[in-house]
Amino acid sequence: MNRQFPHAMLPRPGHDEQARQDFVHDYKVHVLSGLGPRQRQVFDRHAVPAFEKTHGHAPRSRREINTAMTPQPTWKMWSALNRTGQELMWAAISDTAFRDRERLVDQARSIRRRGEGRGSLRIDPALAVPRYISAVDIHLQPGGYGLVLDEDDVYAGALYDLSAHHYSLGGLNPMGSDPGDSTVLFLRENYPQFRPRRILDIGCTVGASTLPLADAFPDAEVIGIDVAETFVRYADARSKSLGRAVHFAHMNAERTDFPGGHFDLVVSHLFFHETSAKAVRNVMKEARRLLAPGGLMLHSDVPEANQFHPEPFDQWWRDWTTHYNAEPFRATLRDTSLVQAAIKAGFESSKVYETKIPSAAAAATYKKTHGYGAEWHMVVAAHGAARGSLDSSSAPPSGRLAL
């Protein structure tokens, strides 16, 4: 397993804690890559014949497959093992993060004092965490994303930073920045002359995917926003500790206080699958309002859309996280057309397309075990002709999916 980069804000595991985390990693790899593929055999050999006997036909949709697979003992065992792996992961890393919590709070305060002039942090004490975030502990993270233990707390952010590496089995690279790195790679290949002056990263969490944007466009003002207070507080300290000048704000992407047309590039990474359908529509409208003429909107997420996975078994397999990993909107996103959402938000249909983009890390081995890391699903929308695009019409580059 790739070790996570030990930046100044990362919780420090002791010897026994590290051993426990390494065990959980190997456990999860075995469950996912060793036992997971065998569920297809269970489906073909046992679930399909049983379903045909009762219904007179083989399962035709992912929902019928769920009906067929749910009674299967082998599937029940695998699902329980996978859920247990997630719970073990949180137990292993939360011990480290909680034990190290006071040091991290002091470290964040010290970094902010020394980091004047290198980015900024804005916290809104009146901001309420939306219910689609507060009502569920996404990914089973203890306390959820909105957890705040005390003043200047960074615990939930530190826990998220650790978990992203362990949950992805190292597939997001040691900095956890692969989604952002992949967005930068996409821009370089498809919009080589694009030079945004202001960039907004929506749902930035701890800023891991925000920093590649700052590195790629050093003359741009880069702002990351998130509804989780401790996330942006942690992101600010993390960014400063790494010498980056990024601004972070505690803000709801559905209703920001930025003026219209303020940004040349609006992005998100791994955001929409944790967001309600209503909020997705609101975010799209707000992104359109914020985008300057000639600007681009890029939303990158896990490749869940049904057009990328037409086989019903694959769709059902990916529904596991919705049912058992506290990701209630992931299955909803699979049935949602983000292209249509962008058009309804005000983008011209000829300027909107979706595609799968390669991972900058190109972690092919990881793809086999979990499904992230080798490619991302991206929705692209241009406000008019994007500056620096391959052509004046901002049409989809060759091989991309248009409306």
Side-chain angles (χ1 to χ4, degrees):
M1 174 180 173
N2 293 329
R3 291 294 187 199
Q4 194 166 5
F5 181 79
H7 57 78
M9 285 301 299
L10 191 70
R12 300 171 180 172
H15 176 275
D16 290 356
E17 291 169 338
Q18 186 65 65
R20 187 181 183 190
Q21 291 167 20
D22 290 347
F23 165 78
V24 173
H25 170 268
D26 291 347
Y27 172 98
K28 288 171 70 69
V29 168
H30 177 64
V31 171
L32 289 164
S33 62
L35 303 180
R38 300 181 187 181
Q39 301 312 305
R40 182 63 199 235
Q41 299 174 15
V42 174
F43 174 68
D44 292 335
R45 297 176 182 177
H46 303 287
V48 171
F51 189 90
E52 287 178 330
K53 184 176 181 180
T54 302
H55 298 84
H57 62 82
R60 298 167 179 164
S61 68
R62 72 181 201 257
R63 292 171 178 82
E64 288 188 345
I65 291 174
N66 191 58
T67 299
M69 285 293 287
T70 297
Q72 296 298 321
T74 304
W75 164 250
K76 290 181 179 181
M77 180 194 71
W78 182 88
S79 188
L81 289 171
N82 201 30
R83 167 79 180 216
T84 298
Q86 190 73 346
E87 293 172 348
L88 286 172
M89 180 197 76
W90 288 115
I93 65 176
S94 60
D95 284 353
T96 299
F98 193 82
R99 176 187 52 75
D100 212 16
R101 184 170 66 92
E102 291 185 6
R103 182 190 68 83
L104 293 174
V105 171
D106 291 341
Q107 181 85 311
R109 288 170 177 161
S110 176
I111 288 171
R112 279 193 290 274
R113 285 194 298 268
R114 300 193 311 266
E116 293 181 6
R118 292 189 298 170
S120 63
L121 173 65
R122 181 154 58 107
I123 300 294
D124 181 0
L127 180 65
V129 177
R131 190 175 183 279
Y132 57 83
I133 297 294
S134 64
V136 62
D137 293 347
I138 298 174
H139 294 164
L140 310 183
Q141 177 165 331
Y145 290 177
L147 177 67
V148 180
L149 297 178
D150 48 36
E151 186 180 4
D152 290 342
D153 184 36
V154 294
Y155 171 70
L159 195 57
Y160 181 94
D161 197 6
L162 276 177
S163 74
H165 186 76
H166 287 274
Y167 181 54
S168 70
L169 303 178
L172 299 180
N173 78 33
M175 290 296 295
S177 61
D178 185 65
D181 292 334
S182 302
T183 291
V184 169
L185 178 63
F186 170 81
L187 285 170
R188 285 175 174 166
E189 292 182 347
N190 295 283
Y191 300 89
Q193 303 305 316
F194 186 61
R195 296 292 183 270
R197 294 160 297 192
R198 295 191 186 97
I199 301 172
L200 178 65
D201 187 8
I202 291 171
C204 66
T205 64
V206 298
S209 289
T210 316
L211 300 193
L213 298 166
D215 291 341
F217 304 105
D219 296 328
E221 179 185 26
V222 181
I223 301 174
I225 64 173
D226 203 285
V227 296
E229 175 184 337
T230 61
F231 280 17
V232 292
R233 185 179 289 115
Y234 180 89
D236 174 66
R238 181 184 186 275
S239 173
K240 285 181 169 67
S241 76
L242 293 167
R244 307 304 203 279
V246 177
H247 306 279
F248 291 98
H250 181 216
M251 194 179 297
N252 189 332
E254 298 179 68
R255 299 176 300 278
T256 74
D257 61 9
F258 300 113
H262 191 65
F263 295 96
D264 304 299
L265 178 62
V266 176
V267 304
S268 73
H269 304 96
L270 301 177
F271 174 67
F272 280 152
H273 80 272
E274 296 178 356
T275 309
S276 73
K278 180 180 179 181
V280 167
R281 295 191 294 270
N282 291 339
V283 169
M284 286 283 196
K285 291 177 183 177
E286 182 66 356
R288 174 62 179 79
R289 183 186 74 82
L290 294 174
L291 205 59
L296 285 171
M297 178 183 74
L298 310 176
H299 295 293
S300 170
D301 213 315
V302 287
E304 296 289 9
N306 285 339
Q307 64 266 37
F308 297 132
H309 302 281
E311 214 278 315
F313 184 88
D314 291 340
Q315 296 173 10
W316 165 80
W317 180 257
R318 290 170 176 270
D319 277 349
W320 185 91
T321 58
T322 292
H323 296 301
Y324 305 108
N325 198 44
E327 297 180 66
F329 305 112
R330 193 158 174 175
T332 302
L333 181 65
R334 190 168 298 115
D335 297 323
T336 300
S337 170
L338 294 179
V339 167
Q340 286 296 331
I343 293 170
K344 290 179 180 178
F347 290 95
E348 296 179 34
S349 60
S350 63
K351 306 294 176 64
V352 182
Y353 64 94
E354 61 187 343
T355 183
K356 284 195 290 187
I357 67 171
S359 159
T365 302
Y366 181 68
K367 177 186 177 185
K368 295 177 183 177
T369 64
H370 198 264
Y372 295 172
E375 59 190 12
W376 303 105
H377 173 206
M378 178 174 282
V379 174
V380 182
H383 183 5
R387 292 187 301 275
S389 61
L390 293 177
D391 57 65
S392 60
S393 67
S394 297
S398 176
R400 305 304 196 251
L401 296 174
L403 176 68

